[in-house]
Amino acid sequence: MNNPQHPIPHNEPERLAALKRYNILDSLPNHAFDDATKLVAYICGVPIAHISFIDESRQWFKSEIGIGVTEVPREISFCQYTIMESEMVEIPDTHTNERFKDDPNVIDGFKIRFYAGIPLTTPDGYNIGTICAIDHVSKELNDNQRNALSIIAKHVINQLELGTKNIDLNTQKKIAQRAVHAKDNFLANMSHEIRTPLNAIIGFTDLLAQTKLDTVQRDYIESVQIAGENLLLIINDILDLSKIESGNLKIDEQPFHLKKTLKHVYNLLKVKVPKDIEFNLFLDAEMPEVVIGDQGRLNQILVNLTGNALKFTEEGEVTISVKKLEETEDRYALRFSVKDTGIGIPENKLKTIFERFTQAEESTTRRFGGTGLGLNIVKQLVELQDSKIQVKSKPDRGSEFFFVLTYKKANQAELVAEPLSGEHLHKLKILLCEDNVLNQKLIKSVIDNFGFELDIADNGEAGIALLSKNEYDLILMDLQMPVKDGYQTTEYIRNEMQLTIPIIAMTAHSLVGEQERCYAVGMDAYVPKPFKQVVLLDAIKTVMNKDSMPVQKRLVDLSFLEEMSCGNLNFKQEMIDLFIEKIQMEVTQLEEAFHNNDYDRVEKLSHNMKSSFDMFLLEDLTGCLSFIEKEAKLRQFTTETAEQLSLLRSEITEVVKILKEL
C-alpha cells in the first residue's frame, strides 16, 4: 500500500471511515446486491460482474458473478484505480493499455480483456467501492449501457443508505422500547409507594365509617373517602395509560349481565349527583340481558364519561342511554351515549379533547379538577374494542359522547354459577406476610371483622418459620418484602415444603403481567391494594371453596417425543429423566450467569436450552429463552430480562412437576 505504484486517494482516512459507517464488509449475502450484479452482467453482456468494496488492504466482493472468490489483495485490483476517479473507467482492450497490458490478471488469472468500472460514491463524496463489468474479449459499451451502470451504482448506494437508516431506526426503536419499559417500571414502583399508604388511609377510613359517628364526624369521614377515591382514580388512570401504550392492556371477553352493569353504573354515580341536576338512564326495551364482552372496560368508559358530564354540568340533566342498532345471528350492535346540558366544548377544541393532559379550556383544571387523562383512556379503550368514540357539542348548551360496541350473543346458562356462601367457613386461621406496619394493622382489623384469626410475619422467611410450626388455612402474601419476597416465599412453600395451602397475593405493585406471574409461581388469587373488604372476602371464599377454583395447570405435549421413541417406553422415560435432570441444572447455571452479567454464557445457555424445550413443544418457554438470548446479544440486561428469567424458573418447576407425575 505504501508503494508509489499503488494509488491512494488523498482523503483515504475519511474514505475508510465512510466505508466502515455502512458496516458492509464481511456481511451476509443480500439478494438486492445479487440482483444488481445480475443486471450489470445482462445489460453489458459480460460473463463477469461484481459489486465490491475496497478497504485498507483488500478488494472485498459483496456480490459477484464469474469470479469465485470473496476477496483479492488491493494492490492487484483494477478497482484501486477506479476509486481514484469521479466517472466511469472503461478499458475496451487491456492488451493495448499501457497500465494493464502486463497485469497478471490480463496475461493469466481472470484473463481480463475488457473492463468497465464505476465508483460507488457516497452522498458525502467518498468512493468506497465499485460496480464492474468484465469480459474475456475486447468490447465497448454504448451510452445506454453506461447510463444503466450509473443508475445501478446509485441504486446500490441508496440500498446502503437505507440499510444504515434501518439500523439507526432499530437502534432508536430499542432505545425507545427501553425508555417505555423504564417508564412503566417507574410508574409501577411509584404506584406501589403511593398505594401502600393510600391502602391504609382508605382501609382505616372504611373501618372508621362502620363505627358510631356524629353528623360532623361522618361528614369529615365522607370527605376523606372521596379524596382517597379521587387520588386512587388518578393513579389508576396513569397505570392504565401505561399499559395501553405498551400493548399489555387486553380486552377480556366474558358473559355478563348488560342491564345489571348499566344500572350499577347509574346507582354508583347517582349518589354524587347535585340536587339541581336530573340524572337519567334510558335503556332500549329490545336490549339484550346478557352479552359476551369486557364488562370492566364498559364500566370504566361509562363511569369516566358520566363522571365528566356530571362534573361539567351545573344545572339541567345528564342522561346515559343505550340503544340496540342491529342484531345478527351471533352479535348485537349497541349505541352507547352520555349526554349533558353542561358547559359544552368550543368547536376548535373538539379535535384535541381526546389528547392526554388536554381539557377544553386552561381554566377547566383549576375550576373542575382532573388529570386530563380520562378522555384519552376512554378513546383508547373504545378503539381496543374496534370502535370509535365521537362527540357533538356546543358551548353553554352541552355535549354528547357516543360510540357503538359489538357484543357476542350469550346464553343465560353461561352466567349461571353456584353462589359462594360464607356460612360454611369456620373460624379460619390466616397467616399474613406483610412488612408494612400500617397495612398489618389494617388487615388485622379487617380480618377480625370477618371473624377470622390472624398471625403476622414481617417477611417471607419469618412467614415460612411460622408455617413450619403452626397449622394455617390460608396465607395472605405481600409481594414486595425484605429477606424473601412474595414470589420466593411462594416458590419455597410449593416446591420445598410441598404445601398446597391457598395463597392470595396482596400487592400495591402494578407491573405489567404481575397477576400472571403470581399464578405461575403457585398463588391461587390476586387482590390489588388498596383493597375493598368485599373483594378480599370474595377472594377468601373462592380459594377456600376448592371446587369453584379454576385449575391453573400447564399441559405438556409429548407427541413429538412419542413419535421419536417409536413405541419404545424405556427410551421415552430416559428422555424425560434426562430432561428433568438437565433442565433444572441449566436454569440454575443461567440464573448464575445472569447475576454475574456473563453475557456470552447467558447467550450460549439460552440458545442451547431451546432444543430441550422444543422436544416437549414448550413454545412459550422457547419464546422466553429467545428474549433472554436477544438481550444477552445486546450486552445489556433489563428488568424485563429478570422477569422473563423468573417466569422461566417458575414454569420449568411446573413442567418438571408434571413430568414427575407422569
Side-chain angles (χ1 to χ4, degrees):
M1 288 294 295
N2 295 325
N3 190 324
Q5 291 182 4
H6 304 304
I8 297 176
H10 67 90
N11 56 3
E12 180 70 354
E14 294 83 1
R15 189 194 73 81
L16 291 171
L19 172 61
K20 287 172 183 175
R21 185 177 69 222
Y22 290 109
N23 199 27
I24 192 75
L25 295 174
D26 300 308
S27 57
L28 294 172
N30 186 311
H31 295 305
F33 292 108
D34 288 341
D35 290 343
T37 306
K38 290 174 187 173
L39 196 56
V40 169
Y42 173 74
I43 290 169
C44 298
V46 295
I48 301 173
H50 66 73
I51 296 170
S52 63
F53 300 94
I54 297 177
D55 65 10
E56 298 93 331
S57 59
R58 60 181 175 153
Q59 177 181 14
W60 180 75
F61 300 105
K62 174 64 179 171
S63 175
E64 54 83 18
I65 293 173
I67 293 178
V69 296
T70 57
E71 60 184 71
V72 296
R74 175 173 174 169
E75 58 266 22
I76 69 165
S77 69
F78 279 37
C79 295
Q80 64 178 316
Y81 299 99
T82 304
I83 63 170
M84 301 293 294
E85 306 296 333
S86 58
E87 302 292 336
M88 180 184 296
V89 173
E90 184 177 353
I91 305 171
D93 189 348
T94 56
H95 290 183
T96 61
N97 185 284
E98 288 299 319
R99 174 177 285 167
F100 294 111
K101 65 181 181 180
D102 298 322
D103 190 284
N105 278 316
V106 172
I107 299 168
D108 197 15
F110 292 116
K111 297 188 183 297
I112 298 172
R113 188 75 182 267
F114 164 78
Y115 171 90
I118 187 166
L120 293 172
T121 307
T122 66
D124 45 358
Y126 298 109
N127 293 343
I128 58 172
T130 58
I131 286 185
C132 295
I134 297 169
D135 207 336
H136 304 304
V137 295
S138 61
K139 60 167 51 181
E140 191 169 343
L141 300 180
N142 60 39
D143 288 341
N144 288 335
Q145 289 171 317
R146 294 187 187 101
N147 287 336
L149 278 181
S150 297
I151 291 168
I152 295 171
K154 289 175 184 173
H155 168 75
V156 169
I157 288 294
N158 288 339
Q159 285 291 319
L160 291 176
E161 285 287 312
L162 186 61
T164 303
K165 285 182 172 60
N166 284 339
I167 290 169
D168 289 342
L169 281 173
N170 284 333
T171 303
Q172 293 302 318
K173 182 182 176 184
K174 284 171 184 171
I175 292 169
Q177 286 171 338
R178 291 185 192 282
V180 168
H181 189 70
K183 181 204 70 180
D184 287 346
N185 281 349
F186 170 76
L187 289 175
N189 285 318
M190 283 304 297
S191 81
H192 178 270
E193 296 305 315
I194 297 170
R195 281 169 182 262
T196 298
L198 186 59
N199 178 54
I201 293 167
I202 291 176
F204 281 120
T205 306
D206 287 345
L207 287 172
L208 193 55
Q210 295 168 21
T211 64
K212 280 189 175 183
L213 301 169
D214 62 35
T215 306
V216 175
Q217 289 171 330
R218 187 159 298 281
D219 183 51
Y220 290 165
I221 287 296
E222 286 173 359
S223 297
V224 174
Q225 285 178 314
I226 291 167
E229 287 171 5
N230 287 343
L231 181 55
L232 184 59
L233 188 65
I234 292 168
I235 295 167
N236 288 338
D237 275 355
I238 293 168
L239 291 170
D240 274 350
L241 195 65
S242 173
K243 288 178 184 176
I244 290 169
E245 279 184 343
S246 59
N248 285 291
L249 194 139
K250 306 296 183 188
I251 295 301
D252 181 26
E253 294 190 338
Q254 299 290 339
F256 71 95
H257 283 287
L258 181 58
K259 286 186 178 178
K260 282 185 182 178
T261 298
L262 295 166
K263 287 174 182 175
H264 169 74
V265 170
Y266 176 75
N267 291 330
L268 181 72
L269 295 168
K270 186 169 64 174
V271 295
K272 299 180 181 179
V273 177
K275 61 180 180 179
D276 295 331
I277 298 174
E278 184 182 336
F279 185 34
N280 305 306
L281 174 64
F282 294 147
L283 302 180
D284 192 335
E286 297 181 359
M287 197 180 75
E289 287 282 344
V290 182
V291 294
I292 296 175
D294 194 322
Q295 178 185 15
R297 296 307 168 191
L298 178 62
N299 260 345
Q300 192 175 357
I301 292 166
L302 291 177
V303 166
N304 216 319
L305 290 177
T306 311
N308 271 358
L310 291 168
K311 182 165 67 173
F312 298 129
T313 304
E314 295 179 333
E315 59 180 5
E317 61 182 355
V318 171
T319 302
I320 305 172
S321 60
V322 185
K323 182 176 177 60
K324 186 178 81 172
L325 296 183
E326 187 182 356
E327 180 179 355
T328 65
E329 189 177 333
D330 58 351
R331 292 176 186 273
Y332 298 104
L334 304 171
R335 183 184 187 273
F336 295 85
S337 163
V338 176
K339 192 172 184 179
D340 65 65
T341 57
I343 62 173
I345 304 163
E347 189 173 350
N348 64 337
K349 300 289 185 180
L350 287 175
K351 291 182 179 178
T352 61
I353 57 165
F354 292 106
E355 295 176 6
R356 68 189 61 173
F357 310 118
T358 301
Q359 295 189 334
E361 298 291 349
E362 289 182 8
S363 61
T364 300
T365 302
R366 292 194 300 273
R367 185 177 170 195
F368 296 100
T371 61
L373 290 174
L375 286 179
N376 181 261
I377 291 170
V378 164
K379 175 179 180 286
Q380 297 194 64
L381 288 176
V382 170
E383 289 174 353
L384 273 173
Q385 298 176 80
D386 300 320
S387 186
K388 182 179 180 182
I389 188 161
Q390 299 179 70
V391 58
K392 294 189 292 190
S393 186
K394 289 193 179 295
D396 301 320
R397 294 180 61 181
S399 307
E400 181 185 13
F401 289 83
F402 56 97
F403 55 94
V404 176
L405 293 182
T406 302
Y407 287 123
K408 296 176 187 173
K409 288 187 174 181
N411 298 321
Q412 285 280 0
E414 292 185 62
L415 277 178
V416 174
E418 202 64 36
L420 290 170
S421 171
E423 293 176 6
H424 70 282
L425 293 176
H426 58 281
K427 188 171 182 177
L428 299 176
K429 189 170 182 182
I430 298 174
L431 172 63
L432 170 66
C433 296
E434 165 70 67
D435 64 313
N436 185 279
V437 177
L438 273 177
N439 283 337
Q440 290 175 359
K441 190 175 178 183
L442 170 64
I443 295 170
K444 179 163 176 48
S445 299
V446 170
I447 294 300
D448 287 346
N449 282 353
F450 292 163
F452 305 145
E453 187 182 339
L454 186 75
D455 283 350
I456 299 173
D458 290 326
N459 57 66
E461 199 162 281
I464 290 168
L466 284 174
L467 192 59
S468 302
K469 294 187 291 186
N470 305 316
E471 289 285 332
Y472 294 101
D473 299 297
L474 170 73
I475 300 174
L476 300 177
M477 184 75 71
D478 185 36
L479 297 185
Q480 282 197 327
M481 295 182 291
V483 189
K484 256 190 173 60
D485 65 25
Y487 297 115
Q488 295 166 330
T489 307
T490 302
E491 286 176 339
Y492 188 89
I493 292 168
R494 294 292 186 240
N495 302 326
E496 302 300 324
M497 301 179 77
Q498 296 287 308
L499 296 178
T500 58
I501 181 172
I503 301 175
I504 298 176
M506 295 187 71
T507 179
H509 217 298
S510 289
L511 276 173
V512 170
E514 184 181 63
Q515 189 168 346
E516 292 76 8
R517 188 180 170 196
C518 288
Y519 289 130
V521 298
M523 298 187 201
D524 302 285
Y526 180 96
V527 175
K529 299 174 188 172
F531 64 88
K532 291 289 184 184
Q533 294 181 42
V534 65
V535 173
L536 177 59
L537 184 57
D538 281 346
I540 291 172
K541 287 178 180 179
T542 301
V543 298
M544 294 311 297
N545 187 345
K546 293 287 188 182
D547 294 336
S548 70
M549 288 180 62
V551 178
Q552 300 280 339
K553 191 168 183 179
R554 161 184 286 281
L555 294 175
V556 179
D557 191 341
L558 299 179
S559 58
F560 179 70
L561 183 59
E562 285 166 355
E563 186 180 329
M564 284 178 58
S565 66
C566 300
N568 186 332
L569 295 179
N570 289 334
F571 172 79
K572 180 179 166 184
Q573 188 59 51
E574 281 176 16
M575 293 303 290
I576 291 173
D577 291 343
L578 183 62
F579 174 82
I580 291 171
E581 178 187 348
K582 182 168 173 275
I583 208 67
Q584 292 181 107
M585 178 181 66
E586 285 179 336
V587 77
T588 301
Q589 292 171 349
L590 186 63
E591 287 170 334
E592 288 174 358
F594 169 76
H595 291 305
N596 293 331
N597 284 326
D598 187 343
Y599 299 110
D600 292 330
R601 183 142 177 78
V602 169
E603 182 182 347
K604 184 179 178 182
L605 279 167
S606 53
H607 182 79
N608 292 340
M609 287 169 72
K610 285 193 281 189
S611 60
S612 300
F613 287 160
D614 289 342
M615 184 179 296
F616 294 90
L617 305 179
L618 300 167
E619 293 177 3
D620 58 327
L621 300 191
T622 302
C624 274
L625 287 170
S626 295
F627 179 86
I628 293 167
E629 182 184 3
K630 183 181 76 176
E631 295 285 274
K633 284 179 180 174
L634 292 172
R635 294 295 191 268
Q636 186 175 356
F637 292 137
T638 64
T639 309
E640 194 172 350
T641 322
E643 289 173 9
Q644 291 287 328
L645 194 55
S646 177
L647 181 63
L648 188 70
R649 161 64 78 180
S650 62
E651 290 297 303
I652 286 173
T653 302
E654 178 68 13
V655 169
V656 168
K657 184 179 175 183
I658 293 167
L659 288 174
K660 283 181 177 177
E661 289 172 0
L662 290 174

